[in-house]
């Protein structure tokens, strides 16, 4: 069974929604990029909501051959699953549309052979997956800024009873990566 991993860039005050310019995908330091590449070694699929998918599709394919982060190449190679009731053609190679119930579709994806399925951005989708108790690991790259607002990773009123810290990494840029797994 595959793991479903939520990986988010998050502010010190807990926002994952970017209301400002606190995160630059091309401006990450070498240490953070090395950790992202290490995590990519266990990922063969990404799961995205429609808005995040469209933002990625509008940016990353154009970075192929010029991207120093390795993200463009990784996204070009992995299977991409986009949750959408309006898209009919994903227009990005290795992409499929999930038009039905995303919770049922993710359960089926997790049951298939393969490596990690990683969700990033896609706050509404993340909320549905958290509420359905489908998340196997949370990876938060905590950026040392306070935004003062914005949507949070965990939906209001939803409890995740117990999490175990499996790893914490501090980078010279001030970013900290925290990895937690639900206790089941």
């Amino acid at each position: 069974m595959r793991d479903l991993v939520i990986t988010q860039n998050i502010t010190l005050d807990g926002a994952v929604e970017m209301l400002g310019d606190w995160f630059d995908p091309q401006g990450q330091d070498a240490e953070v990029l090395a950790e992202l590449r290490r995590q990519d070694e266990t990922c063969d699929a990404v799961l995205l909501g429609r808005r995040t998918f469209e933002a990625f599709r509008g940016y990353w394919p154009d970075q192929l051959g010029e991207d120093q982060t390795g993200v463009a190449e990784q996204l070009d190679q992995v299977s991409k699953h986009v949750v959408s009731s309006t898209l009919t053609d994903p227009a990005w190679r290795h992409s499929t549309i999930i038009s039905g119930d995303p919770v049922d579709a993710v359960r089926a994806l997790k049951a298939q052979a393969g490596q990690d399925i990683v969700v990033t951005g896609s706050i509404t989708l993340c909320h549905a997956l958290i509420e359905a108790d489908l998340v196997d690991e949370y990876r938060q790259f905590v950026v040392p800024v306070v935004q003062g607002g914005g949507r949070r990773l965990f939906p209001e009123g939803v409890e995740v009873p117990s999490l175990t810290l499996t790893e914490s990494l501090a980078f010279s840029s001030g970013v900290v990566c925290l990895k937690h797994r639900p206790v089941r």
Side-chain angles (χ1 to χ4, degrees):
M1 180 165 227
R2 301 165 87 174
D3 277 352
L4 179 69
V5 178
I6 291 180
T7 300
Q8 293 285 10
N9 296 297
I10 188 167
T11 64
L12 192 59
D13 60 334
V16 292
E17 180 181 23
M18 288 184 51
L19 299 178
D21 59 357
W22 54 268
F23 175 75
D24 175 6
Q26 296 282 2
Q28 299 179 72
D29 68 55
E31 292 173 304
V32 172
L33 289 174
E35 175 57 21
L36 288 171
R37 287 187 179 133
R38 187 176 72 80
Q39 291 179 18
D40 286 346
E41 293 172 5
T42 62
C43 168
D44 66 356
V46 294
L47 175 66
L48 303 167
R50 180 193 50 82
R51 284 178 282 196
T52 301
F53 176 82
E54 288 178 336
F56 278 30
R57 183 185 64 190
Y59 179 77
W60 288 112
D62 294 338
Q63 305 307 309
L64 282 170
E66 298 177 24
D67 173 36
Q68 300 301 309
T69 66
V71 174
E73 288 77 13
Q74 168 73 2
L75 287 173
D76 188 55
Q77 297 302 315
V78 298
S79 297
K80 292 166 282 295
H81 304 275
V82 56
V83 174
S84 175
S85 60
T86 58
L87 278 180
T88 56
D89 179 7
W92 193 3
R93 67 187 230 133
H94 305 303
S95 297
T96 58
I97 297 171
I98 297 171
S99 58
D101 180 5
V103 170
D104 289 341
V106 170
R107 279 191 184 108
L109 280 173
K110 286 181 65 168
Q112 295 174 1
Q115 295 181 300
D116 293 344
I117 305 162
V118 174
V119 187
T120 191
S122 311
I123 300 168
T124 301
L125 175 59
C126 286
H127 286 179
L129 299 171
I130 292 167
E131 289 174 358
D133 193 29
L134 289 175
V135 180
D136 299 296
E137 185 172 62
Y138 297 93
R139 297 176 187 161
Q140 297 176 316
F141 284 84
V142 182
V143 179
V145 299
V146 174
Q147 182 170 265
R151 293 169 62 198
R152 308 286 191 234
L153 174 57
F154 295 95
E156 186 73 31
V158 171
E159 292 182 27
V160 180
S162 187
L163 296 168
T164 297
L165 179 67
T166 58
E167 189 173 8
S168 63
L169 305 164
F171 305 104
S172 59
S173 62
V175 172
V176 175
C177 178
L178 302 172
K179 298 179 186 180
H180 290 88
R181 294 185 77 82
V183 176
R184 293 192 170 111

